[in-house]
Amino acid sequence: MFLPQEIIRNKRDKNILSNDEISFFIDAFATGQIPDYQMAALAMAIVLNGMSDEETAHLLKAMILSGDRMDWSALRKRGIPCVDKHSTGGVGDKTSLVILPLLVADGLAVPMVAGRGLGHTGGTVDKLEAIPGFMAQPGPEQFKNWLLARGGAFGAQTDRFVPADKKLYALRDVTATVESIPLITASIMSKKLAEDLDALVLDVKFGSGAFLQSSDAARELARSLVNAGKMAGCRVEAALTNMDEPLGRAAGHACEVVECLDILQGAGALDTRELSLQLAARAAVLGHQDTSQNAHEKAYTRMKNHLSSGRAHEVFIEIAEQQGAHVSALERSHSEWIDAGTVDLPVLISSKTSQRVKAIDTRALGLLLIEMGAGRKKKEDAVDHKVGIVEMKKVGELVEADEPVCFLRLRKNDVRADKLQQSASAAFTMVNGETSVESKPLIAEWII
Ligand code: URA
């Protein structure tokens, strides 16, 4: 038997916690026997004094054990490996909607438990809920049936799925204890490993729109996530990717879904398409355990074929239909759910000559999206699925005089339109059109 305050004191005094101490604390917190204030105190001690790799691995294990773990042995018996992709999040980060069908088309199973928007970054569950009828928060039985039937399903964290993380994350959010590599590692990886995965690809973002802005911090997190996954027996690799500008040309729920549908039908934003293909190819190599010399190139070609043949699009429609989506809405190129009741207002950078986009304050655009109604100010807020930013110029692109850098899709009656347009315009730094601007690579490095 342990005393919670002794465990907190141990971490406060920079000692290594034993496995039993960690298990006791997490279990008692998840079941309500340790109050929030003691958990918050321990979280703060961890933020300040860190955790060893072994402590982190054990924290992760204790969090997984706090709830139900998925079990895909039935699929493994049929020779189908389970894989997933997780992103630390950003603005316009929508690759999950493309990657899941690509991987299912490649013969893999994808039990994707996604999240809602966090801070200035968007979440897959909110995006999917923009599609009329889409049930993005199934119960565990429903999720299991969908996955077994179609090989892929989108879900969200429930009260039985890593409850220790659900409680702890909410507490960290309001006690300034989010920024800790061990706590983030245990939080992200507990949810992914509770999915019973064979392989996982992580997209760890850095830059002005990322949760960790410096590439050094993102690298440290990526190493910690990969290490924790491997210690738990999962094949994991992480890409460090650039979030110095929004991904794609659209940000906001319905408009991001449309961008993904375009990609699945052979068009769409090139950066989103390329990142989706690269991440899916890595996940496929890890999932199929392809150790041949040019495994990645072969997987990348297969992914491109799944797009060009229309198979990935078909898979997305089948999965969306299974999850209750009104498929007729997805078949029409322009329908009610996308933009009814909204207006697209141009965002201009006043100039008499052509200009080039030098930089985009991506975090500012993320915060602007919250202001527009696409994100939440409080956890319980509803989001507006239709508002967003569309036709965004990318860093390095030329903008002719009086050509918009993007359009704000706002509710027709939004009286703040002028102010919102000004804020959007201020997020774009422009240079003379003759000046060349180097665009950064999408994937800076792989951590394997
Ligand atoms: N996302 C998570 O799921 N957990 C964290 O701690 C941070 C980001």
Side-chain angles (χ1 to χ4, degrees):
M1 197 55 196
F2 296 100
L3 268 182
Q5 52 269 49
E6 286 306 305
I7 299 175
I8 299 166
R9 179 175 290 114
N10 259 341
K11 191 35 78 187
R12 183 201 67 187
D13 293 345
K14 303 191 168 70
N15 294 319
I16 299 276
L17 300 182
S18 71
N19 291 354
D20 288 344
E21 283 176 309
I22 295 172
S23 293
F24 163 79
F25 210 102
I26 294 302
D27 191 46
F29 170 63
T31 51
Q33 294 159 67
I34 284 188
D36 284 0
Y37 54 83
Q38 286 186 313
M39 185 70 242
L42 181 64
M44 185 57 85
I46 295 171
V47 169
L48 298 175
N49 296 328
M51 274 186 142
S52 68
D53 285 355
E54 205 199 326
E55 282 176 295
T56 307
H58 201 77
L59 176 63
L60 162 59
K61 198 165 156 202
M63 304 234 306
I64 295 173
L65 290 176
S66 70
D68 297 346
R69 190 166 183 253
M70 295 178 182
D71 173 6
W72 305 121
S73 44
L75 289 170
R76 278 186 202 98
K77 276 193 202 127
R78 283 158 50 194
I80 304 173
C82 290
V83 301
D84 196 4
K85 184 264 341 177
H86 175 82
S87 163
T88 54
V91 179
D93 180 12
K94 55 189 83 70
T95 61
S96 292
L97 275 64
V98 180
I99 292 174
L100 184 142
L102 281 174
L103 293 174
V104 173
D106 208 52
L108 295 153
V110 190
M112 188 179 279
V113 176
R116 294 195 181 274
L118 201 61
H120 67 282
T121 66
T124 300
V125 173
D126 294 321
K127 295 179 217 282
L128 291 168
E129 285 179 349
I131 303 170
F134 202 109
M135 289 179 277
Q137 200 156 8
E141 276 308 303
Q142 179 82 88
F143 184 81
K144 183 174 177 187
N145 292 340
W146 284 344
L147 187 87
L148 294 176
R150 290 265 177 238
F154 293 101
Q157 191 171 14
T158 62
D159 287 340
R160 281 160 56 187
F161 189 76
V162 202
D165 172 69
K166 208 163 185 233
K167 269 185 93 178
L168 178 53
Y169 194 84
L171 191 59
R172 287 168 58 213
D173 204 23
V174 293
T175 55
T177 51
V178 170
E179 295 88 347
S180 150
I181 300 282
L183 291 177
I184 300 171
T185 300
S187 168
I188 292 178
M189 294 305 284
S190 59
K191 284 170 283 195
K192 292 292 119 181
L193 295 175
E195 287 178 7
D196 189 19
L197 300 176
D198 297 292
L200 170 68
V201 162
L202 295 157
D203 178 357
V204 181
K205 302 210 172 282
F206 64 92
S208 67
F211 155 65
L212 295 173
Q213 302 209 343
S214 90
S215 58
D216 286 346
R219 188 176 300 105
E220 194 188 338
L221 175 61
R223 288 207 174 114
S224 173
L225 294 167
V226 169
N227 191 27
K230 285 186 177 163
M231 281 168 84
C234 182
R235 302 187 286 280
V236 190
E237 295 188 359
L240 291 191
T241 70
N242 175 24
M243 190 27 78
D244 263 329
E245 63 179 318
L247 190 66
R249 294 187 185 275
H253 311 296
C255 41
E256 288 188 45
V257 174
V258 170
E259 195 166 67
C260 291
L261 289 170
D262 287 346
I263 292 170
L264 289 167
Q265 291 173 99
L270 292 181
D271 58 346
T272 312
R273 175 190 149 94
E274 181 58 17
L275 186 58
S276 305
L277 288 169
Q278 292 287 356
L279 295 172
R282 277 292 168 133
V285 171
L286 294 174
H288 293 302
Q289 283 188 273
D290 185 350
T291 50
S292 62
Q293 220 185 6
N294 50 356
H296 183 79
E297 289 69 27
K298 284 190 292 188
Y300 181 80
T301 305
R302 284 202 309 279
M303 296 304 142
K304 279 209 300 194
N305 291 340
H306 297 323
L307 281 187
S308 60
S309 66
R311 182 60 197 141
H313 181 241
E314 249 170 50
V315 170
F316 182 81
I317 298 293
E318 284 164 11
I319 287 174
E321 186 168 26
Q322 172 166 260
Q323 297 202 211
H326 306 165
V327 170
S328 54
L330 295 176
E331 279 163 5
R332 290 209 303 273
S333 62
H334 210 73
S335 49
E336 283 276 295
W337 63 275
I338 302 170
D339 58 5
T342 65
V343 58
D344 286 357
L345 299 176
V347 172
L348 296 161
I349 307 287
S350 60
S351 168
K352 292 205 167 53
T353 57
S354 65
Q355 301 269 300
R356 202 174 285 283
V357 182
K358 179 163 185 258
I360 302 175
D361 184 342
T362 310
R363 184 180 158 79
L365 290 185
L367 295 173
L368 180 71
L369 283 159
I370 298 180
E371 211 46 58
M372 288 162 63
R376 296 179 179 80
K377 289 185 181 165
K378 295 190 301 302
K379 204 162 70 119
E380 49 286 347
D381 286 350
V383 294
D384 186 337
H385 293 109
K386 289 185 181 145
V387 298
I389 307 175
V390 293
E391 295 183 44
M392 239 181 299
K393 292 284 183 187
K394 307 293 298 178
V395 170
E397 277 182 347
L398 206 59
V399 182
E400 296 303 337
D402 293 329
E403 189 189 358
V405 284
C406 66
F407 289 82
L408 294 191
R409 181 164 295 165
L410 295 173
R411 288 285 165 183
K412 278 184 184 146
N413 54 2
D414 197 327
V415 292
R416 307 159 307 162
D418 284 351
K419 235 174 143 221
L420 295 168
Q421 280 169 291
Q422 280 162 24
S423 302
S425 171
F428 287 78
T429 304
M430 310 298 290
V431 286
N432 185 296
E434 322 252 282
T435 316
S436 70
V437 173
E438 220 180 302
S439 58
K440 298 186 183 147
L442 261 179
I443 299 183
E445 78 187 77
W446 280 96
I447 307 290
I448 58 176

